[in-house]
Amino acid sequence: MVNRRVLISAAALTLAIVGTARAHTMFLKLESFFLEPNSGAIVQLINGDFDLSYNTITRDRMLDVSLVGPEGRWHPPESAWRDSAIYELTEDAEGEKDSIDTSVLEFETGASGTYVLGVSTAARVFDLSGEDFDGYLVHDGIEDVIAVRAAQGRTGEAATERYSKHVKALLQVGSTRSDGFAHELGYPIEFVPLDNPYELRVGDDLRVRLLRERSPLANHLVYASSERHHSHDDEGGH
């Protein structure tokens, strides 16, 4: 079996904007996505990119935190969360180390099986100038919205951005493969795998369904990335 990380995340935003420089990307990150049954696990809720979390997520913004395994769905209590400042190795001109602020969840696994962990956040609303809004669309490559605004003669118009984030991660606990990977958490938008990623091998296709309000969402712009591709992008590759 190939040891790989499996991350599936989606950000749900109204007004057809997928993200902004201010919103960042959110995802769940573990040291290993292979865990032992009935053992402790630590998850970072990253709000930034693959290498850096820009801030913690306050508990009042977490509308749902769910774990689904062979024993059903449960919700870790707020006390299972803590905020952590992780210091980078690099130092600034004054010799001070930069810190990475992230929210951390600690929980206990149960029986062997394939688990899904999800976090859904409350919406935030921002008023943006036309220049800022168009700049974010270009920065994030939201080509369909850029085309619609151009067709409607609305390029350069101010906009109100309303965004929320809904993320999932798949965890393999022990050796038993189970159907937890396909569990729908009922978030406003979410990816649901059609195959268990932990039963796939290098070169296999991972089929997923994108749902909005629990219904399939077709012809929607979706971006995928990974730590490896992210590193290549930083070096000028793709």
Side-chain angles (χ1 to χ4, degrees):
M1 174 57 62
V2 178
N3 186 348
R4 78 186 77 184
R5 291 184 174 185
V6 180
L7 285 172
I8 296 178
S9 73
L13 302 95
T14 58
L15 297 183
I17 181 169
V18 176
T20 71
R22 178 168 47 205
H24 308 307
T25 301
M26 192 168 79
F27 55 93
L28 297 154
K29 186 175 183 179
L30 293 82
E31 287 297 322
S32 173
F33 288 78
F34 293 86
L35 306 172
E36 294 297 322
N38 304 305
S39 63
I42 298 177
V43 183
Q44 295 182 55
L45 182 60
I46 301 294
N47 193 50
D49 56 40
F50 286 106
D51 302 316
L52 182 66
S53 181
Y54 293 98
N55 58 269
T56 59
I57 303 299
T58 58
R59 308 309 170 256
D60 61 323
R61 288 201 63 208
M62 298 182 186
L63 296 181
D64 179 77
V65 180
S66 290
L67 272 157
V68 180
E71 298 162 327
R73 181 173 182 171
W74 75 99
H75 307 280
E78 184 175 318
S79 59
W81 288 93
R82 60 181 170 83
D83 294 333
S84 176
I86 304 172
Y87 288 92
E88 294 185 287
L89 298 178
T90 56
E91 297 182 353
D92 61 20
E94 288 73 33
E96 296 291 332
K97 293 183 179 180
D98 293 328
S99 64
I100 302 172
D101 296 321
T102 183
S103 301
V104 178
L105 171 66
E106 298 187 42
F107 68 94
E108 293 285 330
T109 63
S112 180
T114 307
Y115 288 52
V116 61
L117 168 63
V119 176
S120 176
T121 68
R124 281 190 168 178
V125 179
F126 294 99
D127 291 324
L128 302 173
S129 69
E131 181 180 1
D132 285 344
F133 188 73
D134 289 337
Y136 290 147
L137 294 177
V138 172
H139 177 271
D140 286 349
I142 315 303
E143 299 172 0
D144 50 352
V145 180
I146 293 173
V148 169
R149 281 169 65 85
Q152 296 176 348
R154 297 174 57 197
T155 301
E157 280 190 10
T160 297
E161 173 196 14
R162 183 179 186 272
Y163 79 88
S164 56
K165 301 179 183 181
H166 315 283
V167 297
K168 299 168 72 175
L170 303 182
L171 320 173
Q172 181 57 47
V173 176
S175 58
T176 302
R177 304 312 191 243
S178 61
D179 60 3
F181 71 94
H183 190 93
E184 297 179 15
L185 297 179
Y187 293 165
I189 193 165
E190 67 177 300
F191 286 109
V192 178
L194 301 179
D195 308 292
N196 189 333
Y198 291 100
E199 293 181 334
L200 302 180
R201 297 184 178 277
V202 173
D204 290 344
D205 292 329
L206 173 61
R207 302 178 303 152
V208 298
R209 176 179 287 119
L210 177 59
L211 303 178
R212 180 175 182 179
E213 303 295 346
R214 292 185 176 259
S215 296
L217 180 60
N219 301 318
H220 190 73
L221 182 66
V222 173
Y223 285 99
S225 189
S226 68
E227 286 181 309
R228 179 172 62 86
H229 289 144
H230 176 74
S231 298
H232 289 173
D233 289 343
D234 288 345
E235 296 168 2
H238 184 70

